[in-house]
Amino acid sequence: MNTLKRHEDPWKVYKEEIPSTVQHFSGRSVCLLESLQSSHLRSLMQSFFRQRSVRSKPNRRVRARDRVSANSLSFEDFLSSLKEATGQDYRRSDVEELFNEMDITCEGRVGWQTFNAFILQHYKHIKDSMRACKHVPISQPSIHHCTYNKQEPIVRVLALSQSPPMRYISVSKRGTLIVWNRHLNNIKPLELCAGPFNKRQYRKRFQGWTTDAVYMANVHKIAVATLSRSIHFFDVTTTCSFEQVHLFGLSHIPTALCYWYDTEAPGEKCVLMWGDDRGSVNLLWFLQPFKGLFEMPFTNQTGPVQVYMPDIHAHSALVSYQHIPNIHSEPINRILYEPHDELIITSSESPSSSVVIIDVNQKKEEYIWRIEKGVKCFDFSFSLGLLATAGAGPTVRLWNRYVTSRPTAVLHSHQTTVVDVLIHQALGKIFSYSKDAVLKLWDIPSQQCLKTIPLQFPNIHLGFTPEHGSFPLLLSLTADPVLLVTCREYLAALHLHKSESSSTSGIYTCALYNPHLQQVITACADSTLTLWDVKAGIKRMEIRNAHGKEEVSCMALDIHQRRLISAATNGTIKVWNLLNGLNLHKLETVSSAEVTGVICHHDNQLLATGWSRLISRYSIAFSDDIYVKADLSWKSGRQHREDILAMDYCPCLELLATGSYDGEIIIWSMALQKPITRLQTNQQETDHLPVHRLLFLQRRAQQSHLRSGAVLISSQAGFVRWWSVCGPRHNLGQFYAPDGSNERVMGLSTDQENSLLVTGDTAGFIKVWDISQYALNAVDMESGEDLPQLMHSWRGHERAIVSSEVLVYESQLFILSASLDRKACLWTTQGGCVGCFGQEQQWDLKNPDTYQTNRERTSPIKEEEKERTEDSQSRVSAGSFICWGESSEVTGTSFSAGNSQQTELALDLQRLHTALETPESECMSDRSSSLEKFPLPKYSKVLSGDHVEMKMSAPQRRPRGIGREKICRFGNEFMPFQLLELPDISELKDVPLKPWKLKIRQISSRGTEVSSGLLSSEDSLHFETLDD
C-alpha cells in the first residue's frame, strides 16, 4: 500500500494533468462578464469600497465574522452598481445568476475580493479551455456536385430528420428541388409547378426565383417561398414527394421563412412565419395540423390544391393569419422564432433597424440593434443569451441579447464579406462562412478562431467569386452530425466527429442528487462530470477532464449544496462551483492511492479517506485560495489494517463510520477523533467480506428511543447487515439481497423517513424493501423474520449497478440508479421507468404520461434489445438500395412496377415461401389478412448451390402485425413505412437434392443475375440510393 507522500511540490499532480473544460447546454448567459471592460471594473471597485455593512465608532472592536461583510454588496446594491458602472439595463435574472455563482456560501453578500477572484478565475478557465480545444472535432470536407441544378445556385438545404431514412433536399434558385440521401448522393429531382391561371402551362417548368424554404417536421412537408408572391407546400411523407398545396396571392414577396411546432405536442397549434420585402412579418397559425393545413375539397383535378391568400378566411377552421407590419424599412433577410419567450427575431440591411426582437403579442419592449450597413445574417442562442451577426464587412459581432449599444466581442479574421453564421450551442462554437469559400470555427468563451478551412470548390477561381445562396450553411445535429456548405451548384459536407460529450455516455462510477438545484450529478470513468435536470432529464452542464484522465471515484455536496467535491483514483480532490462549473479549490493529495470516501460536515469542513487508510481534513469555509492544504492532525492515525472502501457520517450523533476491505467497521467520535466501537462479523470466519457501502439511518438516529436499534447498514458482498452503535448488541441481523449467488450490493439508499431501503446489485436488479418496522431493537430481531418485506423488484440495468439513491421531487419519491451499462435512469418506487438521462424523448416529472413506462410499457433493457433486433434486421449489405417509387426493400434487388423480370422473381419467391410454410404457419396465415398471409421473403443474400433450403425460425412463423412504432401519422391516416416483412433464410448442408429444388436453384440464380445486373448498371438507372 502506498504510504504518505509529501512531495517537494504537492501540487505537481494538478499542474501536469489535462485542464478541465466546461460546456453549458442551457440556462446560462455567457455574455455578461465578457461585456465588462476595465473602466467598468474600476467603477465597481469604488462601489464595493463605498459600502460598509458594519457601521461602528472608530474605537469599537469589530468581530471577525462581521469584517467579512465589510467592502461587500448585497444583490440589490450589486445590481444598481453594475447598472451605474456600465450604463446598461441588464436583465435582473441574468445579474442574479451571476451573483449566485459568486455567493456560493449563501450569505447574501459578495465582497470585492470574492468578485475579483471570480473574474480572474473565469478568464483563467477560458485560457485553459483554449489549450484543450486545439483538436477540433471536424473532418475534411467532401464536395458533391448537383448536376440537376444546371449551374443554378442552391438557395437552401433542408434536413428531413423526422422522416426516416435520413434525407436532404436542396432548393435551387430556379425552383429545382433535389433529394439527397444521407451519403449526399442525389436521388431525384423535383420541380415547382407553374402558376394556377394557365392550365396549359401547369406542367411547364416554374418561371421565377425561389427565396427560401423550410421543413415542417410534424406534418412532413416542406414550404418553398418564391418571388411570385407564393408559397409551395410539398408532401415528403413517403419517398414519392409531390407538391400538395400552392398558396398564392400574398400581399408582398416572402423573403425569409421560419417554422415552429411543439415537439412534445406535435398535433397542437404550430406556426409558419415569413418576412417580406416590405419589412413586415406574417404568421400563419395552423390550428389542427394533423387534420390538415388547409381545407382540401375533393376534386378530380390533378396537381396541387390552389389556395388564394385573400380567401384564407375560408380555411378558418384550420388556419388563422396574423400580420405585424413595418418592423424594418428594408426587406427582411432572416427570421427566427424563440418559443421560450415567444420572441420573433428578424434582420435586414437597414442601418436603423438591423436586428429587431419583438414578442408575438407585441406587449413587451422591443430590442432594436442599429448597425452600420445593416445585417446580412445572424444566429441566436436563447440558452447562451448570445446573438451573432454579420453584415457587409468581414467581421462577426457577438451581442448580449439585452445590450444593443455595443457588441461583447468582434471577431476579425475573414478577408471577404461573411455570408452566413451559425452557433453550435453544445460545442460552444460558432461557424462563419465568407464569400471566398472560407469556413472558420470560433470558440465562444475565448472568442478565438480555432480553425480555418478553405473549401476547394471547383467553381472557385482567382479573381472570380461565384454566386452563393441566401442560406449557405446547414448544421444537421442528427446521430451523425454534419455541417453542409453550399457554393452555387456544389455542396460540401464536413462531419463533426462526436466529442466526449455528444457520444455515448462513459461508464458511470457514481451518481448523486442535488435537491437545492434539482439536478442529478453523474461521474464517469473517463473523468467526466455531468449535471442533469431531474425535471426533464436533459443535460445542463458537463465538465470534461475533471481529474485529467483519472477515474472519478466518489462525490459529495457541501452544506449549501452549491459546491461539489469530487475525488479520483490518483488521490486528487477538487471542489467545483455547480452554478458555472469553475474549479474553486484543489485539495492537497496525501497519497497517490484512490480516495473512496468524502464527506462535508459543519462549517464546510471536509473529511476524506481511501486506500491510504488515513483520514485527512480540509477547510473550504472562507478560503479563496485555489490550493488548499491538508490537515493531517487526525489524532488516531491509521486504525484499519486494510484499505478503507466506504465512509458515512451521522451529524446528530457526531459519529463517523468507516469500512475496510477485511470487513472491519470502525465507529469514530468526531469530537475525540478516535474509535469508540469496532464492528466486525463473526471472528471465526477466515474470509471476511469487504464493506462496499455504509449508510446511517439519520431519522432513527435523531429519535432517542430508536437509537438502541439498528442505525447503521453495511453492504458486504450480497449481504445487507444491520448494526447498532448505541445498544449492548451490535449485530442485529443480516439478509442476502440479490437473487443470484456471488452478487454484490453496490447501491444502498433510504428515504428521509427511513421507511424504505433501496438496494442495487451487480446483476442489475433494483429492490425496494419496507424497513419501517425492521431491526428497531434486538428483541424484535430475535423473534421476527429474517427478511424485511420486499415491496418491489425489477431488473433496471443489464450490468452492475454502481449507485442508487432515493430522491424527493415535490413530495414524490423517485429512485436514481447508475450502472456500468452506461445508463443513469430514474424510476418510480413501484418500478416504473421514468427514463434514462440524456435520452431524446424528454419527460416531465409532474406528468406521468411522459414517463417511459407509460409511453412504451418497456424497460430500458427491453428497449435496447428491441433496438438491437431492429438494427440487425435492417442491416443490409453494401450492394443494397431503396429506389423511389412503389418498391419493396430486398437486399441486392429492387422490385418496381416497371420491371417485369423483377416482379416475376418476387412472385416466384412468394410462391416458394408459401409452399414451404409449415402447417402451423399455414393455420396462422388463414386467420391473417392476405397481406400478412403472403409476405415477401426477406433475405440477406441470394443462395445458390446444390444443397439449399429456405427455412423459417420459430419466432418468424407467426405473421407480424404492423406496429404503431412503424407507421407515420399523416392527417387522419397512418402510412406504414414497411408493409412487408420477409423472413430470413438459412443455409442447410448435406440435404439430398430433390427435383423440386431445381426450381429453387433456377429462381435463386435468376435473382443473382438480376441483382448483379442492377448493381453493375447503377449509373444508367433513373433512381439513386436512399440508404445503405
Side-chain angles (χ1 to χ4, degrees):
M1 183 56 56
N2 292 334
T3 57
L4 180 64
K5 300 173 103 178
R6 307 299 289 179
H7 301 287
E8 295 181 1
D9 185 3
W11 319 112
K12 182 179 180 181
V13 62
Y14 292 109
K15 296 176 181 178
E16 293 179 348
E17 69 181 10
I18 300 175
S20 61
T21 58
V22 182
Q23 285 193 4
H24 300 269
F25 293 88
S26 57
R28 172 172 159 81
S29 174
V30 298
C31 293
L32 196 151
L33 282 180
E34 282 77 358
S35 64
L36 298 180
Q37 301 177 2
S38 57
S39 59
H40 303 153
L41 295 177
R42 285 193 294 268
S43 178
L44 278 174
M45 183 180 65
Q46 296 175 2
S47 300
F48 273 100
F49 284 94
R50 280 199 304 264
Q51 300 294 328
R52 297 288 177 180
S53 298
V54 180
R55 303 185 182 280
S56 57
K57 297 180 181 179
N59 58 352
R60 180 180 173 181
R61 298 182 61 184
V62 181
R63 293 178 299 176
R65 64 177 299 177
D66 291 334
R67 292 194 192 102
V68 178
S69 61
N71 301 329
S72 63
L73 299 176
S74 64
F75 169 70
E76 296 296 337
D77 295 335
F78 181 75
L79 177 62
S80 59
S81 299
L82 185 64
K83 292 181 178 180
E84 179 183 352
T86 61
Q88 300 298 323
D89 187 16
Y90 292 103
R91 195 170 69 159
R92 184 183 181 89
S93 60
D94 289 343
V95 181
E96 186 175 8
E97 180 183 0
L98 174 63
F99 186 86
N100 290 334
E101 291 179 7
M102 297 183 290
D103 183 26
I104 55 177
T105 58
C106 299
E107 295 177 351
R109 304 188 69 85
V110 171
W112 167 251
Q113 186 176 1
T114 301
F115 177 76
N116 189 36
F118 182 83
I119 295 292
L120 293 177
Q121 192 176 31
H122 173 77
Y123 285 102
K124 180 181 181 298
H125 187 269
I126 291 177
K127 183 179 179 181
D128 293 340
S129 299
M130 277 297 300
R131 285 187 291 170
C133 290
K134 290 182 179 179
H135 175 68
V136 180
I138 187 169
S139 69
Q140 291 297 319
S142 61
I143 298 177
H144 305 262
H145 184 218
C146 185
T147 56
Y148 294 108
N149 268 23
K150 301 178 182 178
Q151 297 186 351
E152 299 172 5
I154 297 175
V155 174
R156 169 84 82 169
V157 179
L158 305 174
L160 275 59
S161 57
Q162 299 297 323
S163 180
M166 179 66 186
R167 290 172 290 163
Y168 299 98
I169 291 184
S170 62
V171 182
S172 73
K173 188 174 182 178
R174 297 299 300 270
T176 301
L177 280 66
I178 309 299
V179 184
W180 308 71
N181 66 3
R182 64 187 182 91
H183 299 297
L184 292 180
N185 297 321
N186 45 40
I187 303 169
K188 181 180 180 180
L190 307 171
E191 291 187 357
L192 299 179
C193 295
F197 302 106
N198 190 346
K199 294 184 179 181
R200 292 183 179 181
Q201 300 294 326
Y202 171 73
R203 288 295 179 185
K204 288 187 177 181
R205 179 181 173 88
F206 169 75
Q207 300 295 325
W209 284 359
T210 60
T211 56
D212 197 5
V214 70
Y215 176 46
M216 308 166 68
N218 62 328
V219 292
H220 303 290
K221 297 183 184 353
I222 61 173
V224 182
T226 68
L227 282 177
S228 56
R229 295 188 302 165
S230 63
I231 299 178
H232 301 253
F233 295 86
F234 279 79
D235 184 279
V236 293
T237 305
T238 62
T239 54
C240 300
S241 303
F242 59 93
E243 185 174 352
Q244 188 180 47
V245 178
H246 179 201
L247 178 64
F248 66 99
L250 305 182
S251 57
H252 302 291
I253 299 174
T255 54
L257 294 179
C258 179
Y259 182 75
W260 174 85
Y261 73 97
D262 189 351
T263 55
E264 297 182 357
E268 299 298 327
K269 187 178 180 180
C270 52
V271 60
L272 173 69
M273 59 186 68
W274 65 88
D276 57 34
D277 60 333
R278 297 297 179 91
S280 303
V281 171
N282 306 265
L283 298 93
L284 212 56
W285 295 92
F286 300 110
L287 309 179
Q288 304 177 68
F290 282 176
K291 289 188 176 181
L293 303 183
F294 303 95
E295 297 287 350
M296 306 283 283
F298 179 78
T299 178
N300 292 328
Q301 296 180 356
T302 60
V305 175
Q306 305 294 329
V307 178
Y308 187 43
M309 187 63 190
D311 296 337
I312 196 68
H313 60 275
H315 305 263
S316 58
L318 297 177
V319 66
S320 65
Y321 174 70
Q322 180 183 355
H323 180 69
I324 306 177
N326 303 325
I327 297 178
H328 296 270
S329 58
E330 294 190 16
I332 294 176
N333 50 33
R334 295 287 172 101
I335 181 170
L336 285 180
Y337 179 69
E338 177 49 56
H340 293 84
D341 292 341
E342 296 184 340
L343 302 176
I344 300 175
I345 311 171
T346 56
S347 66
S348 72
E349 297 185 29
S350 170
S352 60
S353 57
S354 304
V355 179
V356 178
I357 298 182
I358 60 172
D359 71 302
V360 174
N361 301 318
Q362 304 178 63
K363 294 181 179 179
K364 300 179 182 179
E365 179 185 1
E366 64 181 17
Y367 291 85
I368 302 176
W369 280 260
R370 297 174 175 85
I371 304 172
E372 186 180 0
K373 298 183 181 179
V375 167
K376 289 183 176 293
C377 57
F378 76 90
D379 198 11
F380 178 76
S381 173
F382 175 81
S383 59
L384 298 178
L386 181 66
L387 174 70
T389 65
T395 59
V396 177
R397 293 179 173 88
L398 306 183
W399 307 79
N400 185 296
R401 58 172 294 186
Y402 299 104
V403 181
T404 62
S405 58
R406 66 178 181 277
T408 59
V410 180
L411 310 180
H412 299 275
S413 184
H414 284 284
Q415 302 300 319
T416 58
T417 302
V418 177
V419 294
D420 208 352
V421 62
L422 280 179
I423 298 175
H424 194 312
Q425 175 182 314
L427 291 181
K429 304 291 185 291
I430 294 177
F431 294 98
S432 61
Y433 179 64
S434 58
K435 275 189 175 182
D436 55 356
V438 173
L439 180 71
K440 289 185 178 290
L441 179 62
W442 307 82
D443 181 62
I444 294 178
S446 63
Q447 301 157 7
Q448 299 295 319
C449 181
L450 301 179
K451 195 166 186 177
T452 299
I453 306 174
L455 301 177
Q456 303 297 330
F457 290 108
N459 55 358
I460 297 292
H461 304 291
L462 184 64
F464 173 74
T465 302
E467 181 180 0
H468 291 81
S470 303
F471 311 91
L473 293 184
L474 170 67
L475 184 60
S476 177
L477 298 177
T478 56
D480 183 19
V482 63
L483 176 69
L484 300 180
V485 186
T486 63
C487 181
R488 203 172 179 85
E489 74 273 20
Y490 287 92
L491 186 63
L494 299 94
H495 292 272
L496 307 178
H497 303 307
K498 291 185 178 180
S499 60
E500 297 177 6
S501 61
S502 60
S503 59
T504 305
S505 299
I507 296 178
Y508 289 115
T509 57
C510 51
L512 58 82
Y513 175 62
N514 186 337
H516 175 70
L517 300 178
Q518 294 183 339
Q519 291 179 347
V520 167
I521 308 170
T522 58
C524 293
D526 60 358
S527 201
T528 299
L529 302 175
T530 308
L531 277 64
W532 309 88
D533 182 9
V534 74
K535 294 177 288 186
I538 59 177
K539 186 183 296 186
R540 290 296 185 186
M541 185 171 63
E542 186 175 73
I543 305 173
R544 279 172 278 146
N545 303 321
H547 291 264
K549 291 299 182 181
E550 296 295 328
E551 175 181 327
V552 179
S553 55
C554 59
M555 298 186 297
L557 296 172
D558 74 331
I559 57 176
H560 299 295
Q561 299 177 349
R562 288 192 179 185
R563 287 179 286 188
L564 174 71
I565 302 99
S566 65
T569 53
N570 63 344
T572 57
I573 307 173
K574 294 184 179 182
V575 182
W576 307 87
N577 188 332
L578 289 176
L579 299 176
N580 54 28
L582 295 180
N583 183 202
L584 300 176
H585 306 292
K586 299 177 181 179
L587 310 186
E588 182 183 7
T589 59
V590 299
S591 170
S592 60
E594 178 176 340
V595 178
T596 57
V598 176
I599 65 167
C600 181
H601 57 103
H602 61 84
D603 294 333
N604 279 322
Q605 304 296 312
L606 303 183
L607 294 179
T609 188
W611 290 5
S612 66
R613 295 178 287 139
L614 284 171
I615 297 178
S616 55
R617 297 190 300 170
Y618 305 89
S619 176
I620 60 171
F622 301 102
S623 176
D624 292 326
D625 298 329
I626 296 293
Y627 299 104
V628 178
K629 285 187 171 293
D631 182 3
L632 300 178
S633 62
W634 189 264
K635 295 179 181 179
S636 300
R638 291 187 176 94
Q639 293 291 323
H640 284 279
R641 293 183 294 273
E642 291 290 342
D643 301 343
I644 297 177
L645 303 182
M647 180 168 65
D648 198 18
Y649 171 62
C650 182
C652 63
L653 298 179
E654 282 293 311
L655 296 179
L656 178 72
T658 56
S660 60
Y661 182 77
D662 59 358
E664 183 181 31
I665 301 174
I666 298 180
I667 307 300
W668 306 74
S669 169
M670 294 290 291
L672 301 177
Q673 298 183 5
K674 69 177 184 178
I676 60 174
T677 305
R678 292 179 183 267
L679 308 177
Q680 200 169 19
T681 56
N682 189 355
Q683 298 291 340
Q684 298 178 356
E685 294 182 7
T686 57
D687 295 329
H688 297 296
L689 300 177
V691 180
H692 297 295
R693 294 290 184 268
L694 288 172
L695 176 66
F696 271 109
L697 302 178
Q698 306 289 351
R699 182 53 60 90
R700 290 192 184 186
Q702 293 172 2
Q703 304 178 35
S704 57
H705 66 284
L706 296 179
R707 291 178 180 175
S708 60
V711 295
L712 177 66
I713 304 175
S714 68
S715 163
Q716 299 178 242
F719 291 93
V720 178
R721 290 176 170 157
W722 301 72
W723 306 92
S724 171
V725 298
C726 300
R729 176 183 172 185
H730 294 309
N731 190 356
L732 297 187
Q734 68 180 30
F735 63 88
Y736 189 77
D739 293 333
S741 59
N742 299 323
E743 301 291 350
R744 292 175 295 170
V745 174
M746 301 300 294
L748 199 64
S749 59
T750 182
D751 63 329
Q752 295 178 351
E753 301 298 326
N754 297 153
S755 59
L756 299 178
L757 177 70
V758 176
T759 60
D761 56 42
T762 52
F765 281 91
I766 302 173
K767 295 186 177 182
V768 181
W769 310 82
D770 182 4
I771 62 170
S772 57
Q773 302 299 320
Y774 187 79
L776 294 180
N777 52 65
V779 177
D780 293 340
M781 292 305 297
E782 291 177 357
S783 59
E785 298 180 355
D786 294 336
L787 287 172
Q789 179 186 356
L790 178 61
M791 302 176 62
H792 304 282
S793 175
W794 67 94
R795 191 182 184 197
H797 297 272
E798 286 186 325
R799 299 183 62 187
I801 293 174
V802 297
S803 180
S804 65
E805 184 174 344
V806 179
L807 59 91
V808 181
Y809 179 80
E810 295 190 352
S811 73
Q812 285 186 295
L813 294 180
F814 296 92
I815 298 174
L816 166 67
S817 65
S819 168
L820 295 180
D821 63 0
R822 302 173 184 267
K823 288 184 178 180
C825 302
L826 195 64
W827 312 84
T828 64
T829 53
Q830 294 77 28
C833 181
V834 177
C836 298
F837 289 95
Q839 68 182 22
E840 183 177 355
Q841 183 69 35
Q842 299 180 14
W843 66 72
D844 182 3
L845 284 187
K846 298 180 181 179
N847 183 9
D849 293 335
T850 62
Y851 298 174
Q852 179 174 315
T853 186
N854 295 331
R855 293 197 316 267
E856 302 176 2
R857 300 294 180 184
T858 179
S859 68
I861 293 179
K862 295 180 180 179
E863 174 80 7
E864 185 170 336
E865 291 175 351
K866 177 182 175 183
E867 290 177 358
R868 287 201 300 264
T869 302
E870 292 180 350
D871 181 66
S872 63
Q873 291 178 352
S874 61
R875 191 179 295 114
V876 295
S877 62
S880 64
F881 56 87
I882 307 172
C883 68
W884 286 84
E886 299 177 358
S887 61
S888 301
E889 180 186 354
V890 177
T891 306
T893 310
S894 177
F895 303 111
S896 63
N899 194 322
S900 60
Q901 185 180 10
Q902 298 175 42
T903 307
E904 181 182 354
L905 174 59
L907 295 175
D908 287 340
L909 292 174
Q910 181 176 343
R911 298 190 195 99
L912 172 61
H913 170 64
T914 307
L916 293 177
E917 281 186 332
T918 63
E920 178 186 353
S921 63
E922 291 177 359
C923 180
M924 293 299 298
S925 298
D926 291 340
R927 293 192 293 267
S928 307
S929 64
S930 60
L931 178 61
E932 295 173 335
K933 183 176 180 181
F934 302 105
L936 290 175
K938 181 179 181 179
Y939 52 94
S940 59
K941 62 180 179 177
V942 180
L943 298 181
S944 61
D946 294 336
H947 306 291
V948 179
E949 180 175 355
M950 302 178 67
K951 184 176 180 179
M952 297 173 60
S953 59
Q956 295 170 332
R957 291 174 184 169
R958 180 171 300 176
R960 298 178 182 175
I962 299 171
R964 182 180 181 87
E965 67 278 0
K966 293 185 178 181
I967 57 182
C968 174
R969 182 72 185 267
F970 172 65
N972 292 327
E973 300 178 358
F974 290 90
M975 303 190 66
F977 285 111
Q978 185 177 2
L979 289 176
L980 303 177
E981 276 200 345
L982 311 180
D984 295 334
I985 61 178
S986 58
E987 182 175 350
L988 301 181
K989 299 182 179 179
D990 300 329
V991 180
L993 186 63
K994 296 181 181 181
W996 64 271
K997 292 185 179 179
L998 294 175
K999 177 66 174 176
I1000 303 177
R1001 183 176 180 183
Q1002 294 173 1
I1003 296 173
S1004 301
S1005 301
R1006 184 170 22 161
T1008 307
E1009 295 172 1
V1010 173
S1011 177
S1012 302
L1014 287 174
L1015 296 177
S1016 62
S1017 59
E1018 182 179 355
D1019 296 337
S1020 61
L1021 296 178
H1022 297 288
F1023 45 81
E1024 296 288 340
T1025 62
L1026 271 178
D1027 205 345
D1028 289 334

